[in-house]
């Protein structure tokens, strides 16, 4: 968003009834749309930064708006951002602002200033539209709404669609930054439920600045600040002297030949200017806007104004990937995270929602999660140009941002032999699926793991690619992806039988049954157990609202059980969260979230390489459906962990915590007082305890793999009297 551009543009904008778009195809910038939902005061969910996960109102809001679009005979097409444009030099700026806001909010909450804390959490910028991309895509797919992911900026892709006219779309809707790309008209506010929209023309903007040329307008916008470039420091310093940033930028440019580059050259020796490396960033950003990469209707990646584009476009756009990769991303088969790491050569790890002050979490992201990320990068790199196979990626973390940790790619094993051994066709797959389904086994994780307990099937599953008989059905692609993923994660041996950790996982999945949510919870739990991060020990020094009642043992038992419960989700009505918070459990939720995201990264790379390796039929229209149906798609909140912690804490303060009367009364209190908008508080407690049962089943017969099994047994016995 261009700072203060609304103040400049509002008098120039026009409002029209939605009926004027009757029969139109409107391409919508997904981030702009999601930001409108997040910032909408009705319904607003200010506690997202304190809880994590998906907005409870999002499904209802999106469903209602899509229905309103259809009632108005408007066809929306959503366009998502893809890869970052080159390397960003200010990756931690927004994170720093979020940390400050979150610190203030938690301080207010700890002082029992609930209303002020809620307001402060709502002002945090820790929750971004990009956090909900995959969930939003899932909703769109379920609602039958078309979407695409741009190769880089969604703004440039929207401009391409608009400039092609009625070949693709009739109008585009998004932020003012669309005007950087020579778009004639932009719908800046599209509210199908209110029944009108606001639009702005490029011509009105040029005239509003005194009929300036288009290049001057773009320069002024760039210096004002945008997604591509921060605000010129001199404009920040003089903020109070001008009504809008863009007019202040134009006034400054008028002193230097109406040129943005001249302004930058004039201030190039300014200390703050040099610290920000502003001149170089301006040059790169200006070229990135002028020659941005887009995906054409033929599936090719091209630059705007390609004939005049410099030969080193990778310097301002980023390293180029094969067109095939951009195509798969555009269809939603994969997200951009791992691709960004590979093209920029850097992972910028910002702080989580709890601010990441725990040394355990910092060690987790700086060292313990590295092998999993290397595995995902290696899977991708071996299907790109060979230079990437040995090209390291540098990790930069927010708590030590002046130093980097290398992800050494040359030490990673070649994944191709592992991946090539999984090409199980329908004839063999379906026979095993039928038997598993008869016994109640379902879900991608459950089927993939349980199928390998049959030694005969495991032996037969060692199948290499048959070029005359590629993988075709959705089931073939899903399960071969899952087996490749499990193999790379060390759950499957080279003979396709389960490893010791695979057997541990399988025992937990047996108890999870067909519940997909619990299957994913068990998988993440086992991954955390492998890193010795799922235990009862205190990890978040200084974090508030850990279990506080009862004996030391009571508190430790509660800690372990509520952490396990945090692997699941609290069911909540379509309204902002109302209930207690826990920074302690939010800290553990950060570990869960990072693990889920990293597992998803590897899973998507297994899926991508299956297609890039030519193992599956590529000409298909279910790419998004396949990907959106795989595990670990979205993050969960820590609400279920808080619900369990609150229940067990309350019991610990009772005279007879194990009596049926006390337990029933506590459940009733939780439903009416603590979580009044929960869908089924007692039912969610039962779900949490089912997650515990499944994870404990994995732990208790794990042999030497899991330490402190005795403590897990004691905790299970303690819980049995209180559930």
């Amino acid at each position: 968003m261009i700072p203060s551009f609304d103040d400049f543009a509002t008098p120039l904008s026009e409002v029209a009834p939605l009926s004027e778009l009757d029969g139109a195809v409107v391409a919508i910038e997904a981030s702009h749309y999601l930001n409108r939902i997040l910032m909408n005061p009705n319904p607003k969910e200010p506690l997202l930064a304190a809880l994590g996960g998906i907005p409870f109102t999002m499904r209802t809001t999106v469903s209602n708006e899509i229905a309103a679009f259809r009632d108005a005979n408007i066809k929306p097409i959503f366009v998502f951002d893809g890869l970052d444009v080159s390397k960003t030099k200010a990756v931690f700026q927004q994170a720093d602002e979020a940390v400050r806001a979150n610190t203030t909010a938690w301080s207010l909450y700890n002082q029992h200033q609930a209303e002020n804390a809620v307001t402060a959490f709502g002002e945090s910028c820790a929750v971004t539209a990009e956090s909900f991309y995959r969930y939003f895509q899932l909703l769109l797919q379920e609602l039958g709404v078309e979407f695409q992911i741009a190769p880089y900026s969604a703004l440039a892709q929207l401009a391409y669609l608009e400039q092609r006219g009625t070949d693709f779309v009739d109008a585009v809707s998004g932020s003012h930054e669309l005007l950087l790309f020579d778009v004639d008209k932009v719908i800046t506010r599209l509210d199908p439920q209110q029944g009108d929209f606001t639009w702005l023309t490029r011509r009105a903007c040029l005239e509003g600045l005194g009929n300036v040329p288009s290049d001057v307008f773009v320069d002024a916008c760039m210096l004002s600040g945008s997604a591509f470039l921060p605000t010129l420091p001199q404009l920040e310093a003089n903020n109070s002297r001008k009504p809008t940033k863009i007019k202040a930028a134009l006034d400054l440019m008028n002193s230097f030949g109406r040129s943005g580059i001249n302004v930058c050259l004039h201030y190039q020796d300014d200390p703050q200017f040099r610290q920000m490396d502003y001149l170089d960033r301006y040059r790169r950003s200006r070229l990135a806007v002028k020659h941005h990469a887009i995906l054409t209707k033929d599936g090719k990646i091209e630059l705007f104004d390609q004939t005049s584009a410099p030969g080193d476009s990778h310097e301002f756009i980023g390293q180029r990937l094969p067109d095939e990769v951009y195509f798969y991303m555009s269809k939603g088969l994969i997200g951009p995270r791992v691709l960004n790491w590979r093209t920029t050569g850097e992972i910028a790890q910002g702080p989580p929602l709890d601010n990441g002050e725990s040394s355990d979490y910092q060690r987790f992201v700086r060292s313990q999660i590295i092998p999993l990320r290397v595995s995902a990068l290696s899977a991708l790199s071996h299907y790109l140009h060979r230079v990437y196979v040995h090209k390291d990626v540098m990790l930069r973390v927010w708590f030590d941002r002046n130093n980097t940790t290398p992800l050494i790619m040359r030490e990673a094993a070649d994944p191709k032999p592992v991946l090539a051994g999984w090409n199980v066709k329908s004839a063999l797959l379906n026979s095993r699926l039928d038997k598993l389904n008869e016994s109640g086994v379902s879900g991608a994780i459950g089927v993939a793991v349980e199928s390998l307990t049959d030694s005969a099937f495991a032996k037969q599953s060692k199948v290499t690619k048959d070029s005359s008989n590629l993988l075709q059905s959705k089931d073939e692609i899903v399960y071969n992806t899952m087996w490749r993923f499990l193999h790379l994660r060390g759950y499957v041996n080279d003979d396709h039988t389960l490893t010791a950790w695979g057997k541990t996982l399988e025992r937990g999945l047996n108890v999870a049954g067909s519940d997909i949510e619990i299957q994913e919870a068990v998988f993440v739990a086992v991954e955390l157990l492998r890193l010795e991060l799922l235990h009862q020990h205190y990890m978040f020094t200084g974090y508030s609202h850990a279990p506080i009642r009862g004996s030391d043992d009571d508190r430790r038992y509660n800690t372990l059980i509520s952490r396990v419960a945090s692997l699941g989700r609290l069911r909540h009505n379509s309204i902002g969260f109302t209930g207690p918070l826990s920074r302690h459990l939010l800290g553990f939720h950060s570990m869960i979230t990072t693990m889920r995201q990293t597992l998803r990264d590897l899973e998507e790379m297994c899926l991508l390489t299956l297609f890039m390796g030519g193992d599956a039929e590529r000409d298909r229209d279910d790419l998004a459906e396949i990907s959106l149906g795989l595990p670990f798609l979205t993050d969960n909140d820590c609400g279920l962990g808080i619900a369990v912690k609150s229940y067990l804490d309350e019991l610990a303060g009772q005279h007879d915590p194990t009596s049926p009367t006390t337990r029933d009364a506590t459940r009733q209190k939780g439903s009416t007082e603590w979580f009044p908008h929960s869908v089924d508080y007692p039912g969610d407690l039962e779900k949490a305890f089912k997650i515990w049962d499944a994870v404990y089943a994995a732990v208790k017969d794990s042999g030497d793999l899991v330490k402190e099994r005795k403590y897990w047994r004691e905790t299970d016995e303690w819980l049995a009297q209180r559930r």
Side-chain angles (χ1 to χ4, degrees):
M1 225 34 195
I2 302 171
S4 74
F5 196 90
D6 274 336
D7 296 333
F8 163 71
T10 298
L12 307 174
S13 302
E14 300 184 47
V15 179
L18 208 62
S19 58
E20 291 196 11
L21 294 175
D22 183 15
V25 177
V26 182
I28 302 173
E29 180 192 355
S31 288
H32 185 257
Y33 176 85
L34 288 171
N35 281 326
R36 179 174 67 81
I37 290 178
L38 292 173
M39 300 308 296
N40 192 331
N42 186 27
K44 184 173 174 61
E45 298 192 45
L47 293 179
L48 273 174
L51 202 66
I54 303 298
F56 293 123
T57 60
M58 188 170 172
R59 174 177 287 274
T60 300
T61 300
V62 171
S63 298
N64 290 342
E65 294 217 342
I66 296 303
F69 276 125
R70 286 173 173 155
D71 289 343
N73 195 27
I74 296 170
K75 179 183 177 181
I77 298 175
F78 289 89
V79 181
F80 293 81
D81 287 312
L83 301 187
D84 295 334
V85 180
S86 193
K87 294 182 182 180
T88 173
K89 301 292 181 65
V91 290
F92 300 122
Q93 181 178 349
Q94 183 175 350
D96 290 341
E97 295 172 3
V99 165
R100 287 191 290 269
N102 291 343
T103 300
T104 299
W106 280 112
S107 176
L108 291 168
Y109 187 76
N110 294 338
Q111 295 170 34
H112 308 291
Q113 299 182 40
E115 290 187 8
N116 292 335
V118 169
T119 300
F121 278 122
E123 294 172 352
S124 171
C125 57
V127 178
T128 63
E130 289 76 10
S131 306
F132 311 122
Y133 268 11
R134 280 311 221 175
Y135 182 68
F136 187 34
Q137 289 165 10
L138 177 63
L139 292 181
L140 294 176
Q141 193 259 338
E142 290 176 355
L143 294 167
V145 178
E146 185 178 342
F147 70 86
Q148 63 174 270
I149 303 173
Y152 293 92
S153 171
L155 300 169
Q157 192 66 24
L158 285 163
Y160 167 73
L161 295 175
E162 192 261 358
Q163 290 163 14
R164 294 286 303 191
T166 55
D167 286 357
F168 295 132
V169 302
D170 300 294
V172 293
S173 173
S175 64
H176 297 120
E177 289 168 314
L178 267 167
L179 295 168
L180 294 173
F181 293 93
D182 204 25
V183 172
D184 290 332
K185 302 187 198 73
V186 178
I187 297 175
T188 55
R189 184 188 61 84
L190 181 59
D191 193 333
Q193 298 197 73
Q194 185 171 313
D196 60 12
F197 65 96
T198 302
W199 57 287
L200 176 68
T201 68
R202 186 184 188 83
R203 172 49 53 192
C205 293
L206 300 182
E207 292 176 352
L209 294 173
N211 288 312
V212 298
S214 182
D215 282 350
V216 172
F217 170 70
V218 173
D219 280 0
C221 288
M222 295 290 290
L223 295 178
S224 300
S226 69
F228 303 97
L229 184 72
T231 302
L232 183 76
Q234 284 67 29
L235 293 180
E236 294 281 23
N238 298 326
N239 188 45
S240 62
R241 294 170 51 189
K242 299 292 179 182
T244 62
K245 284 282 196 303
I246 191 168
K247 288 187 175 180
L250 183 60
D251 288 347
L252 193 60
M253 289 169 58
N254 285 337
S255 302
F256 301 101
R258 282 197 163 186
S259 166
I261 189 63
N262 286 349
V263 171
C264 293
L265 289 170
H266 177 79
Y267 289 109
Q268 63 181 320
D269 293 326
D270 177 88
Q272 186 179 5
F273 197 88
R274 295 181 66 180
Q275 182 182 18
M276 295 175 66
D277 196 16
Y278 200 90
L279 177 60
D280 181 65
R281 294 174 69 181
Y282 174 84
R283 285 170 168 158
R284 292 173 184 269
S285 299
R286 193 65 178 85
L287 285 170
V289 168
K290 185 177 182 180
H291 302 292
H292 207 88
I294 50 91
L295 182 70
T296 70
K297 65 176 183 178
D298 301 319
K300 297 180 179 179
I301 300 298
E302 294 183 359
L303 302 180
F304 280 145
D305 196 9
Q306 180 132 5
T307 55
S308 64
D312 58 349
S313 59
H314 63 278
E315 291 291 341
F316 55 86
I317 292 293
Q319 293 293 330
R320 176 75 174 267
L321 295 171
D323 285 1
E324 182 183 9
V325 175
Y326 293 107
F327 172 77
Y328 289 134
M329 183 175 68
S330 76
K331 297 297 184 181
L333 186 76
I334 54 171
R337 265 167 55 94
V338 181
L339 307 184
N340 263 323
W341 299 346
R342 186 66 281 173
T343 56
T344 63
E346 183 175 89
I347 300 174
Q349 182 75 52
L353 293 179
D354 67 282
N355 292 348
E357 296 169 8
S358 162
S359 59
D360 293 273
Y361 181 79
Q362 292 177 4
R363 181 171 59 254
F364 172 56
V365 295
R366 182 136 84 173
S367 61
Q368 291 177 290
I369 204 72
I370 291 296
L372 218 166
R373 287 177 165 173
V374 168
S375 185
L377 281 163
S378 179
L380 171 65
S381 299
H382 277 82
Y383 287 82
L384 301 176
H385 192 282
R386 62 178 178 272
V387 70
Y388 288 117
V389 173
H390 302 298
K391 189 173 184 180
D392 295 343
V393 172
M394 308 306 293
L395 170 67
R396 191 181 301 275
V397 293
W398 81 96
F399 56 87
D400 186 17
R401 61 192 65 178
N402 294 323
N403 296 299
T404 58
T405 301
L407 278 66
I408 303 174
M409 301 305 300
R410 68 182 66 88
E411 295 181 359
D414 183 355
K416 281 190 171 182
V418 168
L419 301 176
W422 292 100
N423 283 275
V424 180
K425 307 298 191 303
S426 291
L428 176 60
L429 173 62
N430 290 341
S431 64
R432 187 65 179 136
L433 281 177
D434 291 342
K435 292 179 181 178
L436 291 174
N437 290 336
E438 288 174 5
S439 59
V441 179
S442 61
I445 297 174
V447 169
V449 173
E450 190 63 32
S451 63
L452 300 181
T453 60
D454 184 315
S455 58
F457 177 84
K459 183 177 181 180
Q460 291 175 295
S461 69
K462 296 193 70 173
V463 183
T464 56
K465 178 173 69 175
D466 180 355
S467 298
S468 63
N469 183 23
L470 300 178
L471 303 176
Q472 295 188 27
S473 73
K474 177 184 173 182
D475 280 347
E476 286 177 335
I477 293 170
V478 166
Y479 291 113
N480 280 285
T481 295
M482 291 304 301
W483 286 318
R484 294 175 182 210
F485 165 73
L486 291 168
H487 201 155
L488 289 180
R489 279 307 300 135
Y491 293 106
V492 179
N493 291 308
D494 289 341
D495 64 358
H496 289 195
T497 58
L498 294 176
T499 64
W501 275 114
K503 293 174 182 176
T504 296
L505 174 62
E506 190 269 336
R507 284 189 287 269
L509 293 173
N510 256 332
V511 175
S514 60
D515 191 309
I516 305 302
E517 179 184 345
I518 299 180
Q519 287 184 13
E520 292 189 14
V522 170
F523 198 107
V524 175
V526 172
E527 288 285 351
L528 293 173
L529 286 166
R530 292 172 70 176
L531 298 178
E532 299 182 7
L533 290 172
L534 185 53
H535 51 68
Q536 76 281 7
H537 302 298
Y538 201 63
M539 291 192 287
F540 305 101
T541 304
Y543 279 18
S544 59
H545 299 89
I548 57 172
R549 294 180 177 174
S551 66
D552 288 345
D553 280 340
D554 288 335
R555 292 193 293 272
R556 283 194 292 266
Y557 295 145
N558 190 349
T559 294
L560 178 57
I561 296 165
S562 57
R563 285 175 181 173
V564 170
S566 296
L567 295 161
R569 291 184 172 91
L570 178 72
R571 290 173 295 170
H572 197 274
N573 289 316
S574 184
I575 189 173
F577 178 74
T578 300
L581 303 175
S582 170
R583 192 179 178 194
H584 170 87
L585 286 173
L586 184 65
F588 191 71
H589 162 271
S590 297
M591 289 184 171
I592 294 171
T593 297
T594 301
M595 178 58 75
R596 286 182 65 92
Q597 290 173 347
T598 310
L599 290 170
R600 178 71 191 192
D601 291 336
L602 177 58
E603 190 179 68
E604 288 189 0
M605 292 306 100
C606 290
L607 178 60
L608 172 65
T609 55
L610 184 146
F611 282 97
M612 291 188 69
D615 297 331
E617 182 61 49
R618 292 165 166 155
D619 186 14
R620 55 195 312 124
D621 57 8
D622 61 351
L623 294 175
E625 180 184 352
I626 290 171
S627 180
L628 296 173
L630 290 175
F632 315 118
L633 181 71
T634 60
D635 300 332
N636 59 311
D637 54 66
C638 62
L640 188 59
I642 297 174
V644 169
K645 188 213 77 158
S646 301
Y647 170 76
L648 295 175
D649 238 4
E650 180 73 9
L651 286 181
Q654 302 299 312
H655 174 69
D656 187 0
T658 62
S659 75
T661 302
T662 301
R663 285 180 283 160
D664 289 344
T666 304
R667 287 188 178 92
Q668 181 63 27
K669 187 175 183 179
S671 298
T672 57
E673 296 183 24
W674 305 331
F675 303 92
H677 297 300
S678 64
V679 173
D680 180 5
Y681 179 73
D684 276 348
L685 288 180
E686 290 307 310
K687 178 176 67 174
F689 299 147
K690 181 70 178 293
I691 294 174
W692 169 266
D693 291 340
V695 175
Y696 179 58
V699 169
K700 68 179 179 179
D701 294 319
S702 61
D704 296 332
L705 294 178
V706 179
K707 297 179 180 179
E708 299 184 291
R709 284 186 298 126
K710 179 177 178 291
Y711 194 86
W712 280 79
R713 185 182 71 251
E714 293 173 359
T715 305
D716 185 64
E717 292 169 352
W718 180 86
L719 176 62
Q721 303 176 59
R722 290 162 175 79
R723 52 190 296 178

